[in-house]
Amino acid sequence: MFNLILFGPPGSGKGTQSQKIIDKYGLKHLSTGDLLRSEIAAETPLGLEAKGFMDRGQLVPDEVVIGMISSALDANPDANGFLFDGFPRTEAQAEALDKLLKLKKTAIHLMLALDVAEPELISRLLNRGKTSGRSDDTNEDVIKARITEYHKKTSAVADYYMKFDKVKHIPGEGTVENIFDSISAEIDKKVK
Ligand code: ADP
């Protein structure tokens, strides 16, 4: 079992790199953003609760996303490992994840943190907004709110895993392939 967190601010390339990681390493991809958007599309009570927060660029309450991740872990008992994308985003979520994994006799093995400068994040997100159909990517105020949430609540999650010596930083600017090579090199050190 190998469990990885792909970490970084909105627009840092987590979704793009996640796809390549799951193809190469056979991990189960758990993206809380994707899970929440599915709930919204299906008009579930959870989706309705989450939508207002997401439209404003705010984090969805911890208990909502923790419950969703707990169900996703239970729904995949045969996974070789998980790739967490967009989760955990607060220290409370990180602590909850550690507990959930411990119950399953496993743990987080590595956090890869994608480093991208802020002007580049904003331009990437506005660009993605032209084609993604994501309303939170078309409005610059909402983008800035998401980046503010990241600095206020999420960046500390890297410090949490740093205490356990689990964090590696990856330069997140360059070609998709070069970034993926750096990611693969770090994963290979852990899985071999
Ligand atoms: P991005 O990383 O580009 O912001 P995501 O798809 O990961 O995109 O997240 C979109 C939105 O979903 C966030 O702005 C937030 O409202 C909500 N969200 C996703 N993951 C979490 C989480 N772990 N905790 C709280 N809210 C979340």
Side-chain angles (χ1 to χ4, degrees):
M1 187 102 181
F2 179 72
N3 300 309
L4 172 69
I5 297 171
L6 190 59
F7 188 76
S12 55
K14 300 186 295 290
T16 305
Q17 296 294 337
S18 286
Q19 196 53 51
K20 299 177 77 66
I21 296 169
I22 57 170
D23 289 348
K24 179 163 177 185
Y25 295 96
L27 304 177
K28 174 72 191 169
H29 185 201
L30 295 183
S31 156
T32 40
D34 289 350
L35 292 168
L36 289 166
R37 282 185 288 275
S38 306
E39 299 279 343
I40 291 173
E43 298 181 2
T44 65
L46 191 157
L48 290 176
E49 186 184 352
K51 188 175 185 312
F53 293 99
M54 292 172 75
D55 286 346
R56 291 191 296 272
Q58 293 168 348
L59 293 186
V60 172
D62 285 335
E63 56 279 13
V64 174
V65 282
I66 292 166
M68 213 172 58
I69 283 288
S70 173
S71 309
L73 290 174
D74 288 342
N76 290 281
D78 300 325
N80 287 327
F82 294 95
L83 167 58
F84 297 95
D85 162 6
F87 181 89
R89 256 173 153 103
T90 62
E91 277 190 73
Q93 291 179 20
E95 284 165 12
L97 179 61
D98 277 358
K99 283 194 190 130
L100 289 170
L101 292 176
K102 206 166 193 177
L103 286 172
K104 300 195 182 298
K105 310 256 183 296
T106 186
I108 290 297
H109 299 96
L110 178 65
M111 169 187 269
L112 294 177
L114 291 169
D115 295 329
V116 177
E118 199 153 311
E120 171 75 10
L121 295 175
I122 294 174
S123 92
R124 283 186 190 180
L125 290 168
L126 284 170
N127 233 340
R128 182 168 83 187
K130 291 179 195 156
T131 54
S132 67
R134 277 181 58 175
S135 59
D136 61 344
D137 286 342
T138 48
N139 180 323
E140 193 158 344
D141 289 337
V142 175
I143 290 175
K144 288 196 171 138
R146 282 152 65 200
I147 293 174
T148 302
E149 284 282 79
Y150 175 81
H151 289 302
K152 265 200 335 216
K153 299 175 184 163
T154 305
S155 59
V157 174
D159 304 333
Y160 174 88
Y161 289 100
M162 202 90 83
K163 285 189 290 197
F164 307 103
D165 208 15
K166 290 182 175 171
V167 184
K168 295 284 175 201
H169 284 269
I170 304 280
E173 296 182 51
T175 68
V176 169
E177 283 310 322
N178 282 343
I179 297 165
F180 184 61
D181 288 345
S182 312
I183 287 176
S184 292
E186 292 298 342
I187 297 176
D188 289 344
K189 280 189 215 162
K190 291 279 177 179
V191 295
K192 278 178 187 152

